[in-house]
Amino acid sequence: MDIIILGIESSCDDTSAAIIKNGYVLSNKIANQDIHKEYGGVVPELASRAHQQNIVPVVDSAIKQAGIDKSKISAVAFTRGPGLMGALLVGTSFAKGFALAKKIPIIDVNHLHAHILSLFLCEENNSGKIPPFPFLCLLVSGGHTQIMIITGYLDSKTIGKTIDDAAGEAFDKCAKVMGFPYPGGPLIDKYADRGNKNKFIFSKPQIRDLDYSFSGLKTSFLYFLRDRIKEDKDFIENNRSDLCASIQHTINSILLDKLIRASEQTGIVNIAIAGGVSSNSGLRNLLMKEGKKRKWNVFVPDLKYSTDNAAMIALAGYYKFLNKEYAKQSDAPFARIKTK
Ligand code: KG4
Ligand code: ZN
């Protein structure tokens, strides 16, 4: 019998629904929330309201595009956390209601874990290059930055992580001080394309082991701009591309330095990146370059699955469904991951 999973993602500012059939993507619909642009960051209350408005039409459209009958859905997978509590509640409540009505199981999915599974997402007639286990994954998103050893579809171990800001936050905060709207990461990527990455040098943090830190870089970028603007009030405008290329290169080399160290320490040469920042073209290029030099096997998610989407939630749900790992109606979302 076919296994058809409806995936629901609502952890931050994207409302997404997807259908996966026997492990292949049939549809993946995403409603972005432009409302946060003018505020320079995601406003949690506005995100929850927008999810509430978007969830039914987005699910409807994912089911229609997949061309399946609702009654054939085997289970509903939803993001249980981490994320914004109000936003998670919308997706969680929808999933519970849908599953109750259809008398099918619900499956809770960890958003970070789902980002890793984005590396395995593909349509039936379009299978990409997927990583073999074990592999190292640098998970870089707006809320998290960590290096993990992935030993199975549902098994991983974190061996390094940020002690303050995430890499995506560093991109977004540096973009904000240059006056870009939220989220600024993709805009830095765009302008960096035409810039000189060696024009401005920013110091890298000295952090122990495989951990990261990005809060100092953001502050030094802010002070650097403040001093330069005193001499030239149009400094940002006059140097936009070089600024973007330089800060992007600094963030990406900080990320790569620890990934190299992780590979040396573990002896693992299957190396992947995932999460929103993995769509950064500079990071992809740097990874390819280092990978070639070090004889790594490099894996990146399809660009359309790098940022938040429900297909990755549905795929995580698919593997949990195979193990009969269901959630309970009484399970509540969680905003943060408990650290042991
Ligand atoms: O994984 P994601 O969609 O959401 C979270 O789980 O956080 O990641 C969003 C983050 C944002 O910080 C955004 O600026 C960043 O990913 N991002 C990028 C690019 N595309 C998205 N950062 C740099 N370059 C990009 N091309
Ligand atoms: Zn994410």
Side-chain angles (χ1 to χ4, degrees):
M1 207 181 68
D2 289 330
I3 298 174
I4 300 179
I5 308 288
L6 165 64
I8 308 282
E9 156 63 30
S10 72
S11 64
C12 191
D13 58 342
D14 295 304
T15 319
S16 180
I19 298 286
I20 293 260
K21 183 177 166 186
N22 301 328
Y24 293 107
V25 183
L26 291 187
S27 65
N28 182 44
K29 291 284 177 183
I30 305 173
N32 305 115
Q33 302 180 0
D34 283 343
I35 187 151
H36 307 289
K37 268 197 176 121
E38 56 191 292
Y39 296 97
V42 178
V43 184
E45 177 64 24
L46 296 179
S48 313
R49 291 185 207 180
H51 283 306
Q52 191 70 46
Q53 286 170 338
N54 293 339
I55 190 107
V56 171
V58 167
V59 170
D60 211 41
S61 133
I63 292 174
K64 275 206 185 92
Q65 194 191 319
I68 53 139
D69 188 330
K70 270 193 199 112
S71 64
K72 297 278 186 299
I73 295 175
S74 320
V76 189
F78 64 97
T79 306
R80 186 171 171 193
L84 303 170
M85 185 46 88
L88 290 165
L89 276 167
V90 177
T92 305
S93 308
F94 179 91
K96 288 179 178 178
F98 189 97
L100 262 185
K102 301 277 170 221
K103 298 187 174 56
I104 53 176
I106 43 170
I107 299 169
D108 60 324
V109 172
N110 178 315
H111 181 84
L112 302 184
H113 179 213
H115 268 301
I116 295 160
L117 288 191
S118 69
L119 289 153
F120 297 89
L121 282 172
C122 59
E123 298 81 37
E124 194 159 13
N125 52 0
N126 177 27
S127 46
K129 187 184 161 206
I130 57 169
F133 303 116
F135 66 94
L136 283 182
C137 186
L138 169 67
L139 176 60
V140 265
S141 71
H144 296 84
T145 294
Q146 52 199 59
I147 300 177
M148 304 163 90
I149 302 178
I150 316 298
T151 48
Y153 290 112
L154 302 173
D155 299 304
S156 64
K157 184 180 165 204
T158 300
I159 54 172
K161 60 180 182 330
T162 182
I163 57 167
D164 42 52
D165 289 353
E169 257 175 301
F171 270 107
D172 295 338
K173 286 177 178 173
C174 290
K176 190 174 174 184
V177 298
M178 288 189 283
F180 298 171
Y182 177 85
L187 287 170
I188 291 191
D189 192 354
K190 185 177 133 199
Y191 291 120
D193 199 39
R194 278 170 275 146
N196 172 3
K197 64 179 177 2
N198 299 316
K199 177 79 180 280
F200 306 109
I201 307 293
F202 303 103
S203 57
K204 296 188 198 169
Q206 302 300 319
I207 305 294
R208 287 178 48 219
D209 304 327
L210 299 174
D211 289 340
Y212 290 106
S213 166
F214 287 102
S215 65
L217 178 64
K218 169 202 70 192
T219 312
S220 69
F221 188 62
L222 179 72
Y223 289 157
F224 167 82
L225 287 181
R226 193 190 56 186
D227 293 346
R228 295 300 177 101
I229 289 168
K230 278 184 197 152
E231 296 154 17
D232 168 11
K233 71 175 178 39
D234 297 323
F235 179 76
I236 295 177
E237 247 166 68
N238 292 338
N239 296 277
R240 186 184 285 134
S241 299
D242 292 339
L243 281 169
C244 289
S246 302
I247 197 71
Q248 171 173 293
H249 184 64
T250 308
I251 296 172
N252 289 341
S253 20
I254 294 171
L255 290 171
L256 249 292
D257 285 352
K258 292 293 172 97
L259 195 53
I260 292 168
R261 198 185 289 184
S263 170
E264 285 169 356
Q265 279 181 15
T266 58
I268 299 174
V269 292
N270 297 314
I271 312 285
I273 54 173
V277 179
S278 74
S279 44
N280 184 268
S281 52
L283 181 61
R284 287 182 175 227
N285 290 340
L286 198 58
L287 179 69
M288 296 303 164
K289 201 176 114 204
E290 285 297 330
K292 210 167 167 190
K293 200 161 95 192
R294 293 166 197 281
K295 299 198 167 48
W296 287 350
N297 303 314
V298 169
F299 303 88
V300 293
D302 191 320
L303 270 181
K304 63 178 179 289
Y305 301 129
S306 299
T307 45
D308 287 352
N309 66 85
M312 64 186 194
I313 306 300
L315 189 62
Y318 170 74
Y319 286 111
K320 289 186 91 172
F321 184 85
L322 294 179
N323 288 349
K324 294 195 171 50
E325 286 181 45
Y326 306 143
K328 295 191 290 293
Q329 282 282 335
S330 57
D331 286 341
F334 58 88
R336 287 174 180 279
I337 297 220
K338 282 192 207 102
T339 43
K340 284 178 209 154

